[in-house]
Amino acid sequence: MSIFKEFEKQCATSIGKLRQVADAMNAEMHAGLASEGGSKLKMLNSHVDKLPTGNERGLIYALDLGGTNFRVLRVQLGGRDGRVAKQEFTEVSIPPELMTATSTELFDFIAKELARFIATEGQGFFLPPGSRRELGFTFSFPVKQLSISSGTLIRWTKGFSIDDAVDKDVVVELTKALDRQGIDMRVAALVNDTIGTLAGGKYLNNDVAAAVILGTGTNAAYVERAHGLLPKSGEMVINTEWGNFQSSHLPVTEYDQALDQESLNAGEQIFEKIISGMYLGDIVRRVLCKMAEEAGFFGDTVPPKLRTRFVLRTPEMSAMHHDTSPDLAVVGSKLNDIFGISDTSFETRRVVVELCNIVATRAARLSAAGILGILMKMGKDTMDEGEKQRTVIAVDGGLFEHYTEFRSCLQSTLNELLGDEAAHVVIEHANDGSGIGAALLAASHSQYI
């Protein structure tokens, strides 16, 4: 129990500590905006200066590429009254060999599937006379954005490795593939999933001012009142890339440090490694492994699977955390299925649930502190007397959507941090915001408006 207690102490997130994290997030955002490379936060200019208003009309396509599969959708927008009059989508798996092939092969595959989808365009979808089809492209990999409809790939993540695409404009690559397929379509907007979620949220609710992804990875975007680089609207959407946030105030343990050292990007994405779905289960596994090695937690021998990285995934951790059966039967069966550990005592299972709770609580509370940092940067952490405007944060991602304990802890922590101001700040789940968001951004940047 001393290993357990020590870990619990290191993960503690007092309200005082969370305020320090929020202050640091705010300071890093300022530094990242002030100069390129001035902070671990990239604070990328998304070149989105027109968010959807609800007046958008016409037929728009979207392509959402963010991992091992991609979605293609089409929406018919009916303006202020009709809104999203009709939408259809299809999801396509990318063959594993294409993830390490050439840029041409990957984009040709995507364009072929897009052509197949366009061919099924039926009733209820129509192009205004004299216009061509337009596309919003959600590309959730690190990109240096050059304009609303162009950007060069900085590096691949999530298992992709196509060297000849790096430093190339992904819109140019996609457009060439569309031409090869004989598709007459203009890419009107290039966005990442966080920006798409913000746009989709804003379309449904005008009070949306920021978007956060809490899934396999994590990121946040918000509306910055632009200074200097002024577009006409005086607003600019900033992609913070907050997963790379680092601060001496973050409660980092020896287990987090070991996880970081063994990762592909050691020293990077520290915030992401403490709060996102890809890593939480593995942190729990690492603590259990130490308890087994040094204190015989699971008996005389250390179950070999306890030493396998990422064998405990966050959905399984969540299932154990949410186990309400009187004898914690779910925990018992998961320990058996995942690690081959049978015959666990009730006491052992109870400790495992507690461990899941410590890791999930730290992640949720730090996420809330990050959100407070963004609210501070926007000047929306306090309200003036008599002001009625709400601030809505659109949140998407599997961790937020499916991990109930995480979600409720995030909400209660934010309320605690904001105090009397909490009534003005609302967290809303934006389901699949990124695909529809890309379509809406293509519509608001259409050449036909």
Side-chain angles (χ1 to χ4, degrees), residues 101-108 156 162 164-165 168 173 177 180:
T102 64
S103 176
T104 303
E105 288 170 300
L106 175 67
F107 283 108
D108 277 351
W156 289 103
I162 301 174
D164 70 343
K168 292 250 186 74
E173 296 301 300
R180 288 192 290 269

Side-chain angles (χ1 to χ4, degrees), residues 18-318:
L18 293 178
R19 289 198 191 287
Q20 290 176 317
V21 170
D23 287 338
M25 178 70 80
N26 182 20
E28 289 294 310
M29 289 172 74
H30 277 280
L33 283 176
S35 66
E36 199 169 325
S39 161
K40 283 284 187 188
L41 295 188
K42 290 235 179 346
M43 300 301 285
L44 302 169
N45 178 344
S46 68
H47 293 270
V48 171
D49 57 354
K50 291 196 290 275
L51 280 164
T53 58
N55 295 322
E56 291 77 15
R57 310 182 75 89
L59 168 63
I60 300 281
Y61 276 77
L63 167 65
D64 188 349
L65 173 66
T68 47
N69 46 28
F70 64 90
R71 297 169 64 119
V72 193
L73 61 154
R74 59 175 152 250
V75 291
Q76 190 74 40
L77 299 171
R80 178 65 62 197
D81 306 322
R83 290 286 171 151
V84 179
K86 189 168 184 185
Q87 63 169 314
E88 292 174 347
F89 77 92
T90 183
E91 194 152 322
V92 182
S93 285
I94 296 175
E97 65 273 13
L98 285 184
M99 293 169 66
T100 53
T102 64
S103 176
T104 303
E105 288 170 300
L106 175 67
F107 283 108
D108 277 351
F109 175 77
I110 292 170
K112 277 190 185 113
E113 293 296 334
L114 184 55
R116 189 174 299 176
F117 183 65
I118 295 170
T120 64
E121 185 180 291
Q123 284 181 322
F125 294 99
F126 48 89
L127 269 177
S131 62
R132 62 194 284 218
R133 288 179 182 79
E134 293 180 294
L135 174 85
F137 184 17
T138 304
F139 185 75
S140 302
F141 300 92
V143 158
K144 182 164 177 54
Q145 195 101 13
L146 306 170
S147 73
I148 181 63
S149 59
S150 63
T152 55
L153 175 63
I154 298 170
R155 63 172 184 278
W156 289 103
T157 53
K158 305 177 215 182
F160 280 79
S161 180
I162 301 174
D163 291 342
D164 70 343
V166 176
D167 293 331
K168 292 250 186 74
D169 186 334
V170 292
V171 173
V172 170
E173 296 301 300
L174 176 61
T175 303
K176 288 197 291 207
L178 295 177
D179 291 344
R180 288 192 290 269
Q181 290 301 318
I183 302 172
D184 181 26
M185 191 179 264
R186 167 183 176 260
V187 180
L190 171 69
V191 296
N192 78 359
D193 51 356
T194 320
I195 308 284
T197 299
L198 178 55
K202 180 89 173 168
Y203 183 74
L204 297 170
N205 183 339
N206 202 38
D207 294 336
V208 168
V212 176
I213 303 281
L214 290 162
T216 307
T218 182
N219 194 7
Y222 72 103
V223 181
E224 173 67 54
R225 304 262 173 253
H227 339 275
L229 339 147
L230 263 172
K232 290 183 199 62
S233 66
E235 294 187 335
M236 180 60 73
V237 177
I238 298 292
N239 165 17
T240 64
E241 291 290 340
W242 87 352
N244 207 32
F245 170 64
Q246 295 188 22
S247 161
S248 58
H249 299 298
L250 289 177
V252 177
T253 68
E254 61 183 272
Y255 309 97
D256 304 304
Q257 288 166 342
L259 184 152
D260 175 48
Q261 287 307 308
E262 292 168 29
S263 68
L264 295 169
N265 53 349
E268 299 291 319
Q269 303 294 105
I270 300 300
F271 195 51
E272 180 167 85
K273 286 168 183 166
I274 304 179
I275 71 170
S276 79
M278 183 165 173
Y279 303 102
L280 299 185
D282 203 53
I283 298 168
V284 172
R285 176 197 67 80
R286 286 168 184 275
V287 183
L288 287 174
C289 187
K290 182 165 181 181
M291 286 162 63
E293 286 172 350
E294 296 191 9
F297 186 60
F298 295 114
D300 298 336
T301 54
V302 177
K305 281 209 175 133
L306 259 184
R307 296 198 171 108
T308 306
R309 288 169 59 197
F310 295 107
V311 67
L312 175 60
R313 293 168 54 251
T314 301
E316 271 68 46
M317 165 189 168
S318 165

